[in-house]
Amino acid sequence: MLTTNTIQTVLKPNNRSLAFDVERITRYGERIMASYPHLDRERWYRGVLGKLRHSAVQAADITQASIMTALELVTKEEPDWKFVAARSLLTKLYKEAALHRNYKAYPDEPYGDFNKLIKKLVDIGVYRADLLEAYTPEQIRDLGEAINPTCDETFDYIGLLTLAERYLATDFENRTMELPQERYMIIAMYLMHREPAERRVELAKEAYWAMSNLYMTAATPTMANAGKKVAGQLSSCFIDTVDDSLEGIFDSNTDIARLSKMGGGIGVYLGKVRARGSDIRGHKNTSSGVIPWIRQLNNTAVSVDQLGTRKGAIAVYLDVFHKDILSFLDLKLNNGDERMRAHDIFHGVSFPDLYLEAVEQREEWHLFCPHQVKKIMGWKDAKGRALGLEDFYDEKQGAGEFREKYAEAVANPDLPRITLPAIDIMKRIMKSQLETGTPYMFYKDAANRANPNKGHGMIYCSNLCTEIFQNQSATVIEHEELVDKDGETRIIITKTPGDFVVCNLNSIHLARAVRANVLERLVPIQVRMLDNVIDINNIEVLQAQHTNRRYRAIGLGTFGLHHLLALEGIAWESEEAVTFNDNLYEHINYLAVKSSMGLAQEKGSYSRFKGSEWENGRYFEDRDYTTGNRPGKFVTTEQWQELAEAVRVNGMRNGWLMAVAPNGSTSIIAGSTASIDPVYELLSYEEKTTYKIANPAPDLSEKTIWYYKTAFRLDQNWSIRMASARQRHIDQGQSFNLYVRPDIRAVDFLNLHLHAWKAGMKSTYYVRSQALTVEECESCSS
């Protein structure tokens, strides 16, 4: 029997007070630890009482003591204390919601009236009125009854805390109103609210099933904003292509500012902008190059923050043959001329195969100004528009238009250039990566060869997190004119919209969904959710809205790969892991293609399906899906052949389907490992203002610990091999990090990059060193 001689009174939030009863804490402990009989209750009781040292304590203090005691007991040997802490936090949330919504929260029925919640939050302007317009009171009551409070028990403490602090709806006094399962149901209802009335409720329940069981997570913007009457939107990232004109540069900056304000992460391709020292309207040596424009973007990132919570996130890309590449690579270094630095920006480099061949063979490399190339070389497209080197790629490995045009440029004595050893640029790249984690690496030829919409455009770069690969083109201002109408004068600006890339993301929780054998049910509802985001979302930048609806691109991703491998007893550094990745991602891709084809039957194809690799069947042939005698672990050649024919006949709803994002915060909510990354530490720590929270690797046990070799101890070549096996099945890309030690030899570091390129990777994301901390992209957390 526990006793205490100190505490006499418990002060409740409704101005009531109760005599302190230690037996209440005992019963409370039994309830929150019921699923964990192996944990030492006596240690927890003593810890809680030891933190309550006054004669009168607030009820909230007891809850906090309960949480902190459980967190202090978390170790690699006893990781389940993190779930006990989560149960205490749940109790706190249940009581707060009940108090603010005026209902009683009983342990076995902690949720209140769902209909009343929606009405209340619509009335005060927190929820969108669409929810009440699309669903009848009876339907909302039905959906409320489908909410399963026991699903809250799947959260660990950090996951629940992250969900509560970042995503759950509050009133305008920041009081808890919405509970975890209500957030999932609201997202489901909102994403399905434009579906046919006869199927709307059924589809909302299916989306809720997927999210509430943590078989998947929605992207951060969707998690935070769906169903809410807020300024934010539902898409994660955008990519702009900047035109080589003063109007184009400033217009692009304005668009980027507007998207940053709405919470989007942005990639910017600057490879068309003329280099420093180039001519402007015939005046020689007058261009200041790309660096001043990047500094302007840096200021935009800092001054136009994301919904008032964090500075904007912008990545800029430049080609390795651009004349400004050397100063570009120094952008984030901490020494040198500060007028040539942009510390708040992220940067990436676009590489053709030919450059990396030159690095391997220690050959010279030539840098050109894109404006001078267009003016002197005179290359034109079918519509008579000037082309630069950036507008070509090698259609085959070792052969293609880029290397032909590059050779022509090198052979032209009238074309100015800078010539230097190719390896010297690579040395600068690796130096910057070890100091700052960037630049990102974008392998242009591989990306364009695998593009299912190559007949309609070109991919110049990736996004902020290097997982999005879609057609790009610059928006061009055609003309301005004064118009008098109804006694008023207007200035009409006419633009030709370019392909302004938008990515819409969600992700499969591999460790839960694969082991529960629910992929066949899960992927179709995920694809529908993503497709609906396209129609629901209202993007302020009209060319982005136009591109989003023209290609209807989505990014189905995954997280929890290392978690799944550990549960399956598969070592990261093994042929078994490589084969497992190959089979698993082929299966997911098959289900995604089938789902999008099914939606095309139901709702129609994306407008650019005709002329795509989907239509002509090359998408399937190039990946060896429909040819040869494949082993067919999950999908047979015959199944692929049938699907390819169905796609030809019925079309595809979405121009791109898969993209594996970093999944930082949402993988934390789901209690799993991030994205395709190995676990960082067996016991890591999340830092809060006054304390650290221990976070053991998921499902850490005597069995799984042997399969949780940590990131910096792993041979990165095995990680590259697994990524290569996956890449064939991912029509866009993957946020693939390299983990290196600070003392890595330069030749070994170079060989990792060459291995990634030769293995068919489209990009690499951060180079993570033990001595380096890098910022995550919040928007791409899915």
Side-chain angles (χ1 to χ4, degrees):
M1 172 70 70
L2 291 172
T3 60
T4 175
N5 297 321
T6 306
I7 311 164
Q8 297 177 3
T9 307
V10 177
L11 305 175
K12 307 289 280 186
N14 52 6
N15 295 320
R16 290 188 303 124
S17 62
L18 297 174
F20 178 76
D21 181 1
V22 72
E23 287 300 316
R24 292 173 67 90
I25 291 183
T26 304
R27 290 193 297 274
Y28 174 64
E30 289 296 325
R31 188 170 74 246
I32 64 174
M33 285 186 267
S35 300
Y36 308 98
H38 56 287
L39 298 178
D40 186 343
R41 285 154 170 71
E42 291 298 318
R43 288 176 65 200
W44 179 83
Y45 294 140
R46 288 195 298 271
V48 172
L49 293 177
K51 291 177 172 58
L52 304 172
R53 299 175 181 174
H54 301 285
S55 60
V57 296
Q58 299 284 342
D61 294 336
I62 298 176
T63 303
Q64 189 63 18
S66 170
I67 293 171
M68 294 306 299
T69 300
L71 291 176
E72 289 165 2
L73 294 172
V74 174
T75 63
K76 286 185 287 187
E77 292 73 28
E78 291 191 326
D80 285 343
W81 283 109
K82 64 183 180 179
F83 292 104
V84 175
R87 302 296 184 277
S88 289
L89 178 56
L90 269 175
T91 302
K92 178 174 181 281
L93 292 173
Y94 292 157
K95 289 180 178 179
E96 288 176 349
L99 177 66
H100 302 144
R101 288 161 53 180
N102 195 28
Y103 68 90
K104 288 188 176 182
Y106 295 101
D108 56 344
E109 195 176 334
Y111 279 67
D113 188 304
F114 189 50
N115 217 331
K116 286 182 179 178
L117 170 69
I118 293 178
K119 285 181 179 177
K120 180 181 178 69
L121 293 192
V122 167
D123 286 345
I124 66 174
V126 174
Y127 282 168
R128 300 179 66 91
D130 309 60
L131 296 170
L132 292 178
E133 294 165 2
Y135 298 91
T136 67
E138 292 75 21
Q139 289 174 327
I140 293 174
R141 193 170 299 111
D142 182 19
L143 290 165
E145 289 172 359
I147 286 175
N148 183 3
T150 61
C151 288
D152 286 343
E153 296 175 10
T154 58
F155 295 113
D156 66 15
Y157 178 76
I158 296 176
L160 183 61
L161 183 67
T162 303
L163 181 65
E165 289 184 341
R166 300 188 188 181
Y167 301 105
L168 298 186
T170 63
D171 63 12
F172 292 109
E173 296 177 37
N174 204 33
R175 299 183 303 179
T176 301
M177 301 297 288
E178 186 184 67
L179 292 170
Q181 299 307 310
E182 291 165 337
R183 172 89 303 248
Y184 288 135
M185 185 59 84
I186 291 294
I187 295 170
M189 290 171 63
Y190 188 62
L191 293 187
M192 298 301 160
H193 83 274
R194 293 189 184 177
E195 290 284 354
E198 66 274 12
R199 295 194 63 202
R200 198 173 294 156
V201 171
E202 167 203 342
L203 290 170
K205 286 181 180 180
E206 190 72 354
Y208 170 74
W209 164 83
M211 290 184 286
S212 65
N213 286 288
L214 295 182
Y215 293 139
M216 62 154 290
T217 58
T220 286
T222 304
M223 281 280 291
N225 300 329
K228 296 179 185 176
K229 192 176 180 180
V230 292
Q233 42 79 49
L234 307 181
S235 297
S236 296
C237 277
F238 305 85
I239 310 175
D240 191 16
T241 306
V242 180
D243 186 41
D244 182 33
S245 67
L246 191 65
E247 296 86 357
I249 290 168
F250 277 100
D251 205 44
S252 178
N253 201 326
T254 300
D255 291 338
I256 289 163
R258 292 163 74 191
L259 291 170
S260 182
K261 176 190 70 175
M262 304 297 287
I266 313 194
V268 183
Y269 176 66
L270 288 163
K272 293 183 175 296
V273 177
R274 67 195 68 193
R276 185 175 186 180
S278 184
D279 63 293
I280 299 176
R281 295 182 179 176
H283 298 279
K284 295 185 180 297
N285 301 317
T286 50
S287 171
S288 55
V290 300
I291 302 302
W293 305 122
I294 294 173
R295 285 176 56 81
Q296 186 182 72
L297 286 171
N298 190 93
N299 294 337
T300 298
V302 173
S303 57
V304 185
D305 58 16
Q306 297 185 335
L307 302 176
T309 59
R310 54 190 289 138
K311 67 186 178 187
I314 300 172
V316 292
Y317 284 82
L318 202 67
D319 297 290
V320 75
F321 48 80
H322 194 288
K323 232 178 184 181
D324 285 348
I325 189 65
L326 297 177
S327 53
F328 178 81
L329 292 175
D330 292 342
L331 272 175
K332 290 177 70 69
L333 299 183
N334 292 320
N335 53 8
D337 187 354
E338 272 299 308
R339 293 171 298 179
M340 302 294 284
R341 300 291 179 264
H343 298 292
D344 302 291
I345 218 83
F346 303 89
H347 60 338
V349 180
S350 173
F351 302 92
D353 289 346
L354 189 63
Y355 168 75
L356 292 154
E357 292 168 16
V359 168
E360 267 200 306
Q361 295 159 19
R362 301 301 191 265
E363 293 176 346
E364 289 186 330
W365 188 249
H366 304 275
L367 310 179
F368 302 100
C369 168
H371 171 69
Q372 292 172 338
V373 168
K374 289 176 183 175
K375 189 168 78 170
I376 294 171
M377 298 308 297
W379 300 323
K380 305 281 186 183
D381 67 7
K383 295 182 178 179
R385 293 172 297 200
L387 298 175
L389 278 172
E390 72 276 8
D391 297 310
F392 300 97
Y393 70 94
D394 282 349
E395 294 84 358
K396 297 180 180 178
Q397 288 185 335
E401 281 193 301
F402 176 81
R403 63 185 65 222
E404 293 168 6
K405 298 299 184 185
Y406 178 83
E408 287 180 32
V410 171
N412 191 323
D414 297 327
L415 183 62
R417 83 282 311 274
I418 296 172
T419 302
L420 72 168
I423 191 67
D424 285 0
I425 303 173
M426 199 66 183
K427 288 176 182 176
R428 298 273 284 269
I429 288 168
M430 294 191 298
K431 178 177 184 290
S432 177
Q433 287 177 329
L434 290 175
E435 288 190 24
T436 71
T438 59
Y440 311 140
M441 312 287 272
F442 169 71
Y443 302 118
K444 178 181 179 179
D445 293 333
N448 280 283
R449 283 194 290 264
N451 180 7
N453 293 283
K454 62 171 67 78
H456 298 305
M458 180 89 175
I459 303 171
Y460 294 105
C461 72
S462 189
N463 65 319
L464 182 63
C465 302
T466 74
E467 86 276 23
I468 302 302
F469 297 86
Q470 299 174 26
N471 290 350
Q472 302 168 242
S473 57
T475 294
V476 179
I477 298 175
E478 298 293 348
H479 69 279
E480 302 179 37
E481 60 178 319
L482 286 173
V483 176
D484 290 319
K485 186 176 180 181
D486 299 328
E488 297 285 343
T489 301
R490 298 283 187 269
I491 298 173
I492 306 296
I493 300 174
T494 303
K495 301 179 184 179
T496 299
D499 283 333
F500 196 118
V501 174
V502 182
C503 59
N504 309 293
L505 304 172
N506 66 30
S507 293
I508 300 167
H509 185 336
L510 292 176
R512 289 184 68 86
V514 173
R515 288 175 64 83
N517 196 28
V518 297
L519 287 179
E520 284 77 5
R521 179 180 173 186
L522 178 65
V523 171
I525 195 64
Q526 285 188 266
V527 170
R528 186 180 291 269
M529 290 166 73
L530 288 169
D531 187 66
N532 285 349
V533 165
I534 296 165
D535 293 319
I536 294 169
N537 213 9
N538 184 28
I539 304 170
E540 281 191 16
V541 177
L542 295 183
Q543 58 267 39
Q545 184 89 320
H546 172 67
T547 305
N548 202 24
R549 293 181 177 175
R550 175 159 59 172
Y551 285 107
R552 305 193 66 85
I554 61 174
L556 176 68
T558 65
F559 66 93
L561 177 63
H562 202 178
H563 187 184
L564 176 61
L565 290 175
L567 290 171
E568 293 288 322
I570 299 174
W572 188 277
E573 298 165 305
S574 69
E575 292 292 345
E576 185 181 7
V578 174
T579 302
F580 184 87
N581 272 264
D582 195 358
N583 290 325
L584 174 61
Y585 281 83
E586 180 182 353
H587 187 203
I588 293 169
N589 187 33
Y590 174 82
L591 295 172
V593 175
K594 187 176 180 181
S595 300
S596 185
M597 183 276 296
L599 277 180
Q601 281 181 294
E602 180 185 332
K603 299 183 177 184
S605 285
Y606 74 101
S607 63
R608 294 225 153 176
F609 173 74
K610 190 171 180 58
S612 71
E613 307 288 289
W614 300 110
E615 185 207 29
N616 62 33
R618 293 195 194 105
Y619 173 87
F620 304 96
E621 294 167 10
D622 291 349
R623 287 157 179 80
D624 196 31
Y625 288 155
T626 55
T627 57
N629 185 21
R630 299 170 52 261
K633 171 71 174 176
F634 295 111
V635 192
T636 65
T637 301
E638 290 73 25
Q639 286 175 302
W640 274 117
Q641 289 171 342
E642 290 172 7
L643 181 56
E645 177 60 18
V647 165
R648 187 189 67 78
V649 172
N650 299 305
M652 288 284 286
R653 181 67 171 167
N654 313 100
W656 289 271
L657 293 178
M658 288 188 66
V660 180
N663 310 109
S665 61
T666 47
S667 64
I668 291 173
I669 291 171
S672 192
T673 54
S675 191
I676 47 174
D677 276 2
V679 69
Y680 197 81
E681 296 286 354
L682 290 178
L683 188 67
S684 58
Y685 290 89
E686 297 287 326
E687 292 200 30
K688 294 297 174 184
T689 308
T690 56
Y691 60 93
K692 289 183 178 180
I693 304 171
N695 187 25
D699 284 307
L700 188 62
S701 67
E702 292 180 355
K703 177 186 174 184
T704 59
I705 194 170
W706 299 105
Y707 301 98
Y708 270 137
K709 191 172 182 180
T710 53
F712 291 105
R713 294 177 57 231
L714 288 167
D715 180 350
Q716 299 301 297
N717 288 292
W718 282 105
S719 299
I720 291 169
R721 289 191 60 194
M722 285 197 288
S724 174
R726 290 189 297 268
Q727 187 61 82
R728 182 164 66 101
H729 312 298
I730 300 171
D731 58 358
Q732 295 190 73
Q734 40 191 326
S735 298
F736 176 80
N737 294 301
L738 284 170
Y739 290 85
V740 301
R741 298 180 182 180
D743 60 349
I744 188 172
R745 296 190 310 157
V747 65
D748 294 332
F749 193 18
L750 174 61
N751 285 336
L752 284 177
H753 284 305
L754 294 175
H755 184 189
W757 160 59
K758 289 179 179 179
M761 298 284 289
K762 296 179 185 178
S763 68
T764 59
Y765 190 29
Y766 284 111
V767 171
R768 297 185 182 268
S769 166
Q770 287 170 307
L772 179 67
T773 301
V774 294
E775 285 192 50
E776 292 286 1
C777 168
E778 190 72 13
S779 297
C780 279
S781 297
S782 53

